[in-house]
Amino acid sequence: SSHRLLSTFLRMSWLARLSPHIARRCLSISAAAPVLFNQEGNVATILLNRPKALNSYNSEMVEMLITRLGEIEQDDTVRVVLVEGAGERAFCAGGDIVHLGSIARENQLHHKFKTLKKPILSIGDRIVMGGGMGLCCNSKYRIGTERSLFAMPETRIGFFPDAGATFFLSRLGDLGMYLAMTGQRIRGFDARHLGFVTQFVESGKLPTLREDVVKCSSEQDLVDCLISHDQSEGQPEFSLNNNLLEISKTFSASSALEVVRRLEESGSKFAQDTLKTFSVMSPTGLCLAHRTQTLSRSLDFTGCLRMEANIAVKTFGLGEFAEGVRALLVDKDNDPKWNPPSLEEFKDEVLDGVFENYKSDDWQPLP
């Protein structure tokens, strides 16, 4: 089941070729549309509407969302934005890996989610992965449930956690480094412990929450509504509590290779399990994740998105992403031929080339 879920995520993942299509504003459109927009009172609603694809976003959806958010920002009748995923399986599993394309454009969307002048509430129920985690975590208010499953598994295919994850994971310090390198899944209330969600609501209560949210006529109304529905009290402790000290000791290392060496020296069950996870990862992906998380600690949100966009093309040029996709999705032999095959053989000069000019202002957020 673990491989099946990852494969599904990868098929729907977060890269998309930019489409010329720009969606025109409409409050009622065909149910076949990949995003449904509406307005209920002072609340603009956005429904990611590709349930069979786990609501993964494609380039058409990116353009539709950017256009609609721009309109919302100028519309005085909109005070709150509600974002949901259609169906019963996912909020959003990321972008569509079938159509490789512009992370630069996607990051403009993520920047807009984070900086929109109207508060966005995302309902992070069920699967929230890759770029979907970006949409959710870059929203001002975020709901999690007992069914929530958050993850950024990009190192499995020779890439690095992006969609703003260089920002929100790096703010967790060594724990964020652990999540970025391992792609560890975060379930249920653990997402609240980590700040991935701002409130926790049992899934059975979501319909009632939604009814109250669409009655809000201001951000203060929304805050009061979320507080009244929050069920964080009495929930379980963080499941990784017993491993936090070891995570700090190992993932504070100055390189991915040193992380592995510290895990090998530890010999604990946690260390052995983590090394087993690393054994199927791309060495290049692990190094990319470590470098991006390290550098992003000194960058603001815009700087993090700029770095992601600036290094993406060079990262694809290394060939590891294509090999990861081949092994998991095309040939499905689950036997990627990583180059280099081990961290010991990885050369820092490769990273130096990828990260050259990573602060370049070639990428700019939308106005």
Side-chain angles (χ1 to χ4, degrees), residues 332-350:
K332 299 182 180 179
D333 57 20
N334 299 318
D335 185 25
K337 307 301 182 186
W338 302 126
N339 182 25
S342 69
L343 282 171
E344 288 81 4
E345 297 171 79
F346 189 87
K347 298 187 182 301
D348 287 341
E349 306 90 83
V350 174

Side-chain angles (χ1 to χ4, degrees), residues 130-277:
M133 193 166 169
L135 294 179
C136 185
C137 291
N138 293 327
S139 303
K140 187 170 185 179
Y141 302 103
R142 311 171 294 279
I143 295 293
T145 75
E146 78 283 358
R147 306 184 301 194
S148 295
L149 190 161
F150 286 75
M152 298 294 293
E154 286 81 359
T155 52
R156 183 71 175 82
I157 51 169
F159 204 66
F160 60 91
D162 64 329
T166 54
F167 180 81
F168 58 75
L169 289 184
S170 67
R171 270 51 190 175
L172 297 174
D174 300 330
L175 181 56
M177 182 71 79
Y178 164 75
L179 297 175
M181 294 181 68
T182 63
Q184 175 70 29
R185 294 174 188 168
I186 298 300
R187 301 176 184 272
F189 196 68
D190 276 354
R192 179 71 179 86
H193 284 297
L194 290 168
F196 295 160
V197 300
T198 54
Q199 279 81 29
F200 181 83
V201 177
E202 293 177 2
S203 58
K205 304 291 186 181
L206 288 179
T208 303
L209 169 68
R210 192 189 189 283
E211 289 177 4
D212 290 343
V213 167
V214 296
K215 297 174 184 175
C216 294
S217 58
S218 68
E219 182 170 1
Q220 187 57 56
D221 286 350
L222 177 62
V223 170
D224 293 342
C225 174
L226 295 179
I227 290 174
S228 69
H229 283 273
D230 189 18
Q231 297 177 285
S232 295
E233 192 71 27
Q235 296 295 336
E237 292 186 356
F238 186 37
S239 66
L240 290 174
N241 270 348
N242 292 336
N243 304 119
L244 291 179
L245 181 58
E246 185 157 13
I247 287 173
S248 180
K249 287 181 178 178
T250 53
F251 285 85
S252 59
S254 61
S255 69
L257 180 58
E258 182 59 26
V259 168
V260 169
R261 286 172 174 165
R262 292 184 184 185
L263 289 169
E264 290 172 342
E265 290 172 2
S266 167
S268 68
K269 183 181 185 306
F270 169 81
Q272 292 172 0
D273 289 344
T274 304
L275 289 170
K276 184 177 179 180
T277 297

Side-chain angles (χ1 to χ4, degrees), residues 62-81:
V62 169
E63 294 304 318
M64 292 175 74
L65 288 165
I66 286 175
T67 299
R68 182 65 181 126
L69 291 177
E71 295 169 344
I72 286 170
E73 205 155 34
Q74 301 301 318
D75 188 343
D76 291 339
T77 68
V78 175
R79 309 289 172 76
V80 173
V81 182

Side-chain angles (χ1 to χ4, degrees), residues 29-43:
I29 57 181
S30 166
V35 189
L36 299 180
F37 301 122
N38 208 336
Q39 185 168 333
E40 301 180 44
N42 296 119
V43 179

